[in-house]
Amino acid sequence: MNNLTNTILPKTDAVHKAEFLKLRALGLTGPSLSRRKITVNILDDINKSIQSYMFMLLTTNMLVALLAWLAFRWIGLENAGAWAVAAGLLHLIPYFGPAVTATATGMAAFIQFGDLSTVLLVAGGSLAIATAVGTFVTTWMTGKIAKMNTAAIFISLLFWGWLWGVWGMLLSIPIIVIVKVVSQNVVQLQPVAELLGE
């Protein structure tokens, strides 16, 4: 394998690390051409699925930021744009991120307005936006992108979140997508792919 790698990969490191890892994976599959073809298909499907998932995250987080900006501006919260950007960024962390956003914006509203009803309106609005986008838009888009049922996505989120906390929540969708792609291409794992499919 080292000879193959040295002849294909120049010493100048012109080949991307992803291609290097792809060559390593192909080397581990053995000499069989059919196994190498399956490995290439799996790696390409994983790459496409993860790219689509990242685009979905960007789209939904921008939607959260836009809706939060509109809500905060309508309420009259100072620095509505900055709070909206924070809401979009923190929306990356399922459950915990929106809770932090609601708490921070609620405190900012209390400092600015000193009125409990406005604090509840700002914090509640922040949570409502994150919940609506997360429950409906994110779940729907993830299911369409990964061609998976929403129950599998939700169970994966709960399991990996329980196992690894915040990091598990962040990595749960990529992990379940990888499991599904591998299951689709390995005959013995076809029942798992059926279980995770739409």
Side-chain angles (χ1 to χ4, degrees):
M1 179 63 190
N2 284 337
N3 292 338
L4 174 71
T5 307
N6 290 336
T7 57
I8 294 175
L9 295 174
K11 298 285 184 187
T12 60
D13 196 27
V15 178
H16 297 290
K17 290 185 181 194
E19 292 298 320
F20 176 74
L21 290 174
K22 194 175 198 178
L23 287 172
R24 284 283 184 162
L26 286 174
L28 293 174
T29 59
S32 170
L33 186 59
S34 64
R35 282 187 176 182
R36 286 178 178 232
K37 189 174 180 181
I38 290 171
T39 303
V40 168
N41 287 339
I42 289 172
L43 293 174
D44 287 343
D45 287 349
I46 289 171
N47 186 32
K48 288 177 194 169
S49 297
I50 298 299
Q51 284 180 357
S52 298
Y53 175 68
M54 297 305 274
F55 175 73
M56 183 273 306
L57 279 181
L58 177 67
T59 304
T60 55
N61 291 346
M62 287 177 64
L63 180 62
V64 166
L66 175 67
L67 293 174
W69 177 73
L70 291 171
F72 295 155
R73 190 172 169 98
W74 177 74
I75 294 168
L77 185 66
E78 292 176 357
N79 301 316
W83 287 115
V85 169
L89 291 174
L90 286 170
H91 192 257
L92 276 170
I93 306 168
Y95 303 112
F96 184 70
V100 169
T101 302
T103 303
T105 55
M107 287 191 297
F110 182 74
I111 291 169
Q112 180 181 342
F113 299 107
D115 179 27
L116 187 59
S117 62
T118 309
V119 170
L120 292 175
L121 181 64
V122 169
S126 173
L127 277 179
I129 289 167
T131 302
V133 172
T135 303
F136 300 110
V137 181
T138 304
T139 306
W140 175 76
M141 284 183 75
T142 304
K144 290 298 176 190
I145 287 169
K147 296 180 177 64
M148 294 176 56
N149 65 51
T150 53
I153 293 168
F154 185 70
I155 291 169
S156 170
L157 188 66
L158 290 178
F159 174 74
W160 292 108
W162 167 78
L163 190 63
W164 291 338
V166 172
W167 289 109
M169 289 182 183
L170 287 171
L171 296 172
S172 66
I173 304 301
I175 289 171
I176 198 74
V177 166
I178 290 169
V179 168
K180 183 174 184 280
V181 169
V182 171
S183 301
Q184 286 174 329
N185 290 287
V186 176
V187 176
Q188 294 86 350
L189 298 176
Q190 289 287 330
V192 175
E194 288 292 322
L195 181 68
L196 296 176
E198 290 179 305

